[in-house]
Amino acid sequence: MPVTIKTHEDLEHMRTVGRLAAEVLEMIGPHVVPGISTGELDRICHDYIVNVQHAIPAPLNYNGFPKSICTSVNHVICHGIPSDSKILQEGDIVNIDVTVLKNGYHGDTSKMFGIGNVPAHADKLMRVTQECLYKALALVGPGTFLGDIGQVIQQHAEGQNYSVVREYCGHGIGRIFHEDPQVLHYGQKGTGMQLREGMTITIEPMINAGTRYTKLSTSDGWTVTTRDRRLSAQWEHTIAVTAHGCEVLTRRQEERF
Ligand code: MF3
Ligand code: CO
Ligand code: CO
């Protein structure tokens, strides 16, 4: 499928839904504490999206996904299924990934939360992964190669002896949840497609503390874990390519750019 270029009208809708997705992460923050289940976090987000935002949680029933958000704890890389039996414990790290659908447009964003006091090594993994995302955002503009984005993420992660997950990537986004192009989080400068004003994409690096290798659960068909069972972290934004850089459509208030 071709890469879509959004009109000003499309972009207005993308701004609206991007803000809603960011607001879900802002809303859920105070609930992400020791003793809560990921199933409860899912219900709170679902009810907020449906009843307050009058929008749709895009993951629900997407290719059969059974819940409204993804909650990926510790060695879970992505697509963790919320469950009432998964209780967050002091020292855990969790990625909450929210995709809101409103007026036919998608906004997709995720962030890491530490549960109470987390070990320094886990804190560092979360911070370096966020830096990977921010370094990529700083490069984005018309003419940027997708390979430039992959290279800066890979260099920053591997510079800390972390590894980059290859099997899952960022994506174009708009009326379609996952559209072209694929946005790899590894690669080489000056390679791949060049970005153009009006494209909307996600960047969502998944960085492992150990090796890059992944394993897909055979029991639920969704949960992706590290093969070596070491920690993994992820942060995601939806962005629009502008004339001179990018607009972060899912920016939270805690983010100053
Ligand atoms: N939000 C994920 C992404 O960043 C996709 C989740 S699909 C689901 O692309 F079905 F697992 F919810
Ligand atoms: Co995404
Ligand atoms: Co997402």
Side-chain angles (χ1 to χ4, degrees), residues 97 99 108 236:
D97 192 338
T99 310
D108 188 6
E236 176 175 23

Side-chain angles (χ1 to χ4, degrees), residues 108 171 178 202 204 236:
D108 188 6
H171 48 93
H178 295 105
T202 74
E204 49 182 298
E236 176 175 23

Side-chain angles (χ1 to χ4, degrees), residues 59 62 65 70 79 97-99 108 169 171 177-178 202 204 222 234 236:
Y62 177 79
F65 191 79
C70 297
H79 304 166
D97 192 338
V98 170
T99 310
D108 188 6
C169 58
H171 48 93
F177 191 166
H178 295 105
T202 74
E204 49 182 298
W222 282 102
Q234 181 178 27
E236 176 175 23

Side-chain angles (χ1 to χ4, degrees), residues 125-140 144-166 168-171 182-189 195 201-208 212 233-237 239:
L125 175 66
M126 294 195 288
R127 175 176 54 77
V128 170
T129 304
Q130 187 178 36
E131 288 167 359
C132 286
L133 173 58
Y134 286 174
K135 283 176 183 289
L137 296 179
L139 287 183
V140 170
T144 301
F145 289 88
L146 289 176
D148 301 351
I149 292 173
Q151 190 271 342
V152 77
I153 292 168
Q154 183 176 15
Q155 176 175 294
H156 191 57
E158 292 181 354
Q160 299 295 327
N161 284 327
Y162 298 150
S163 62
V164 178
V165 170
R166 310 247 175 154
Y168 304 89
C169 58
H171 48 93
Q182 291 199 103
V183 180
L184 304 183
H185 303 118
Y186 60 94
Q188 286 160 13
K189 259 184 221 178
L195 296 174
I201 62 170
T202 74
I203 303 177
E204 49 182 298
M206 284 148 272
I207 305 298
N208 294 351
R212 69 178 179 83
Q234 181 178 27
W235 297 75
E236 176 175 23
H237 273 310
I239 67 176

Side-chain angles (χ1 to χ4, degrees), residues 107-128:
D108 188 6
T109 186
S110 79
K111 68 170 282 188
M112 298 300 300
F113 296 88
I115 308 303
N117 273 321
V118 307
H121 68 93
D123 225 42
K124 183 184 168 192
L125 175 66
M126 294 195 288
R127 175 176 54 77
V128 170

Side-chain angles (χ1 to χ4, degrees), residues 21-83:
E23 284 171 358
V24 175
L25 288 179
E26 291 172 338
M27 176 281 298
I28 201 64
H31 297 279
V32 187
V33 293
I36 196 164
S37 70
T38 56
E40 185 64 22
L41 294 174
D42 177 72
R43 272 189 293 281
I44 295 167
C45 290
H46 172 276
D47 292 353
Y48 187 80
I49 293 166
V50 171
N51 299 324
V52 178
Q53 297 185 330
H54 304 294
I56 297 166
L60 187 60
N61 302 318
Y62 177 79
N63 293 151
F65 191 79
K67 297 288 181 178
S68 295
I69 59 172
C70 297
T71 51
S72 301
V73 181
N74 293 338
H75 66 288
V76 178
I77 296 171
C78 63
H79 304 166
I81 302 174
S83 159

